[in-house]
Amino acid sequence: MFDVIVRNGLVVDGSGEKAFKGDVAVKDGLIVAVGDVSGPARREIDAGGRVIAPGFIDPHTHFDVQLLWDGAARPALEHGVTCIVPGNCSLSLAPLKAADRPKVVGMFQQIEEMPPEAFTQAFDWSWEDFAGYRDAIARNLSINVAPLVGHSVIRLWVMGEAAQQRTATADEIAAMQELLRECLAAGAVGLSTSFVDLDEHGRPVPSRFADFAELDALSAVLGEFGRMLQCVPEFYDVDITIARIDQLSELSLKHAIPTTFSPVFDNTSTPDNAPRILARVEEQFARGARVWPQMQTRPIDISFSLLRPSLFFARLPRWVRVLRQPLEARLHSLNDPETVAKMVEDLGPDGGRKMMGRLIVRGGDAAPAEMVGRTLGEIAAERGQVPAQALIDISLAHGLDVAFLAADMGHEDTDRIGPMLAHPLVHIGASDGGAHIASFSTYGDTGYLFSEFVRKGLMSLEHAVRKITAETADIWGLKGRGRLTPGHAADIVVFDPATIDRAEERPVFDMPGEGMRYVRDARGVDAVLVNGEVAYLGGAYTEARSGVVCV
């Protein structure tokens, strides 16, 4: 007797081959039959003509801390995602000495905009090594996790404060190598590093102080295990990004490892950048290197207020410094004419018209109703102000509790993006799930892939499913996942190809300390199985805890 049979569906098996009508049978957590399946099962799910596909895999998330109080990584499962990769951008929660926790929490808060309550009110931080973190998250998982270990925390463990001051000595590099070996043996799927990020004090994160010798030595250890090197290059400069592609390619070739980098955005203001990046990637693949660029399917919507720092101001250091102050000091700065004049000056001669003019007044508990839904550019013109000054004045007049929305940033033209996403060397990822939760929802990539690219004829259903299942599993070396084939893990999603989409953002208050975060509910996903157990069905999460830490 089978445990589960999913019947009467359009089977899209992840291979990219043509879909066919059939069933999928599950026993003991594995797929055991695909096609016309006869025989009884303890549970049957009628797919009713919907798609039956392998569970989707998300290769760039920051669910590191959320997994400790939410083993389902909400809302990932309801978007059809059955495996996530946290620990990106050089940051992970292990290996980490207790004395260094505040420093790394500060980095998470600065880089990924995670509120302090997420780290202080929801779990007992009882581990230091990577095995301890693995065991802590494994207790309550409803989703599979393939965690990266962060380069910055490895440096911090070995070098202490010097990790943010200098390059490493030969002995320190050797110690990092041994620590990385321990992490990989304990279940890390690879190493993440960053060339761009700053900590809460505006200083480069530890990974940015590493020289090539250090990165080469750590890549040699990755080569011993055949594991991934992930990095965030200087994405704001296409020439430096191309130089990083060359560097990653040399490491890939020398140590026989896969590498991946993100993000890659296509913007109409710089239309040649993404094509240039893809052209260099093609050249390096032709040499035998594996250097996978990650692209999001969706544009980014950022919601923010001056109550807290935001990614929106990441390239405006003066704004970041002011907004990182305690509230009383922040209000003092925002009421100081000299400080405000310099902040406005930082936006350039147009006073922020280009950067802020399209901002929409979103709301907030104290937002004036007559402004909600209007652009800051319109409001500023009526007030005879530049947008940056208007943003500050409106915020001050309402206790800073006015939210602004920067909508559809990047990826403006789906007709351009479609062929890039379909490119055989482009890795669909970079969702950032679990990060920036108080500014914008980082989920919805999978639904957006089908609604904006498949339903509009820019990519076939079979190709789209392959890109986020088998292809991702192969890139990351996740054996036995990503395909509907006997012997593979029964990670399965049932969805309606005509309606799958991401819903509008909405605020929820399910975080520790009742903190607010933005989420996007899924549309069109009917059922999700993780290792053979039903984890999500009919719009609700189940009590199944069948997720595993997998490599």
Side-chain angles (χ1 to χ4, degrees):
M1 177 178 286
F2 301 116
D3 294 332
V4 181
I5 298 178
V6 185
R7 292 198 181 277
N8 307 317
L10 183 68
V11 178
V12 183
D13 64 10
S15 68
E17 298 297 321
K18 187 172 177 59
F20 58 91
K21 293 181 180 179
D23 316 315
V24 178
V26 174
K27 187 173 178 61
D28 297 331
L30 301 176
I31 295 168
V32 292
V34 180
D36 185 6
V37 178
S38 60
R42 294 183 177 87
R43 183 172 194 172
E44 292 199 2
I45 297 173
D46 185 359
R50 285 166 164 72
V51 168
I52 308 173
F56 308 146
I57 303 171
D58 187 339
H60 190 116
T61 80
H62 293 280
F63 283 114
D64 307 69
V65 64
Q66 185 173 329
L67 288 168
L68 293 160
W69 47 268
D70 171 25
R74 290 172 176 82
L77 270 177
E78 64 196 75
H79 289 271
V81 175
T82 58
C83 184
I84 56 173
V85 179
N88 285 275
C89 304
S90 89
L91 296 182
S92 58
L93 293 183
L96 186 60
K97 298 172 183 176
D100 292 327
R101 288 171 188 165
K103 186 183 297 290
V104 172
V105 168
M107 293 180 198
F108 268 102
Q109 291 173 2
Q110 169 63 24
I111 300 165
E112 310 304 340
E113 295 185 302
M114 294 183 184
E117 295 83 4
F119 296 88
T120 59
Q121 298 187 22
F123 61 91
D124 179 19
W125 202 328
S126 57
W127 68 89
E128 290 194 337
D129 62 6
F130 200 86
Y133 174 71
R134 176 204 62 205
D135 293 344
I137 62 173
R139 296 176 191 135
N140 195 39
L141 286 180
S142 300
I143 195 168
N144 298 314
V145 181
L148 289 159
V149 60
H151 187 184
S152 284
V153 298
I154 282 180
R155 277 194 124 241
L156 190 59
W157 179 286
V158 171
M159 299 177 64
E161 291 186 1
Q164 286 182 279
Q165 297 171 355
R166 60 173 173 80
T167 57
T169 65
D171 287 344
E172 288 167 338
I173 291 175
M176 286 186 231
Q177 286 182 298
E178 186 55 34
L179 184 58
L180 178 57
R181 284 189 187 94
E182 292 176 11
C183 295
L184 297 174
V189 75
L191 176 75
S192 71
T193 194
S194 171
F195 296 105
V196 299
D197 288 305
L198 302 173
D199 71 6
E200 72 275 24
H201 302 296
R203 300 176 301 175
V205 295
S207 65
R208 292 180 61 184
F209 289 86
D211 58 13
F212 184 78
E214 178 178 323
L215 199 57
D216 180 61
L218 293 174
S219 294
V221 176
L222 293 174
E224 296 170 13
F225 290 78
R227 303 280 171 83
M228 176 68 77
L229 174 62
Q230 181 271 345
C231 93
V232 183
E234 296 84 343
F235 54 86
Y236 48 81
D237 187 308
V238 67
D239 293 315
I240 301 179
T241 297
I242 287 173
R244 291 297 182 196
I245 292 170
D246 293 345
Q247 185 182 69
L248 290 173
S249 299
E250 292 306 314
L251 294 171
S252 175
L253 288 166
K254 181 177 180 180
H255 302 293
I257 59 172
T259 66
T260 185
F261 65 95
S262 63
V264 177
F265 280 114
D266 183 68
N267 293 298
T268 53
S269 59
T270 53
D272 296 332
N273 285 7
R276 285 184 61 196
I277 288 170
L278 294 186
R280 183 56 63 93
V281 166
E282 289 174 346
E283 291 174 10
Q284 294 295 1
F285 263 91
R287 297 176 61 221
R290 289 177 288 167
V291 53
W292 300 93
Q294 288 188 33
M295 290 189 74
Q296 293 171 309
T297 66
R298 56 175 168 78
I300 291 178
D301 296 344
I302 298 181
S303 183
F304 67 90
S305 73
L306 300 191
L307 282 171
R308 59 181 63 88
S310 169
L311 181 69
F312 182 78
F313 300 107
R315 298 187 68 179
L316 298 171
R318 196 188 311 273
W319 287 71
V320 171
R321 285 196 296 272
V322 168
L323 296 181
R324 287 208 65 85
Q325 294 176 313
L327 182 58
E328 185 175 344
R330 190 184 325 151
L331 287 168
H332 176 78
S333 295
L334 292 172
N335 277 290
D336 176 54
E338 184 177 345
T339 299
V340 170
K342 291 179 180 178
M343 292 172 69
V344 173
E345 183 180 322
D346 286 349
L347 272 298
D350 68 352
R353 284 190 180 88
K354 183 177 180 180
M355 180 176 178
M356 296 183 173
R358 293 177 56 207
L359 293 177
I360 298 168
V361 180
R362 181 170 194 163
D365 291 343
E370 67 274 11
M371 293 186 184
V372 174
R374 301 184 63 200
T375 69
L376 185 62
E378 294 170 345
I379 297 168
E382 291 177 359
R383 297 162 66 103
Q385 295 179 308
V386 295
Q389 184 70 57
L391 185 146
I392 292 171
D393 289 353
I394 292 168
S395 298
L396 284 172
H398 300 89
L400 304 188
D401 191 13
V402 179
F404 301 88
L405 174 66
D408 296 331
M409 298 176 65
H411 278 23
E412 300 101 328
D413 187 345
T414 54
D415 288 336
R416 280 177 56 91
I417 298 296
M420 294 183 192
L421 290 176
H423 192 289
L425 301 183
V426 167
H427 186 14
I428 292 181
S431 81
D432 256 0
H436 314 296
I437 52 182
S439 294
F440 61 97
S441 171
T442 49
Y443 246 83
D445 289 60
T446 54
Y448 202 80
L449 174 64
F450 294 103
S451 65
E452 294 298 313
F453 298 98
V454 174
R455 289 207 291 273
K456 293 181 178 179
L458 298 172
M459 192 183 304
S460 72
L461 175 65
E462 292 87 351
H463 192 183
V465 168
R466 182 180 184 276
K467 294 289 286 187
I468 56 176
T469 58
E471 188 171 292
T472 306
D474 291 347
I475 290 170
W476 286 82
L478 301 176
K479 295 180 175 60
R481 299 190 187 273
R483 291 172 174 82
L484 297 182
T485 189
H488 274 51
D491 297 336
I492 302 169
V493 56
V494 179
F495 68 91
D496 184 349
T499 62
I500 187 171
D501 203 348
R502 59 176 191 163
E504 294 300 314
E505 280 186 349
R506 66 182 178 91
V508 298
F509 296 87
D510 63 347
M511 287 184 56
E514 297 185 351
M516 185 274 289
R517 65 187 182 118
Y518 286 105
V519 301
R520 286 188 187 273
D521 301 320
R523 293 174 178 163
V525 175
D526 297 329
V528 180
L529 282 71
V530 176
N531 296 309
E533 294 192 28
V534 178
Y536 179 82
L537 182 67
Y541 291 83
T542 74
E543 295 300 314
R545 297 292 182 269
S546 55
V548 298
V549 177
C550 58
V551 178

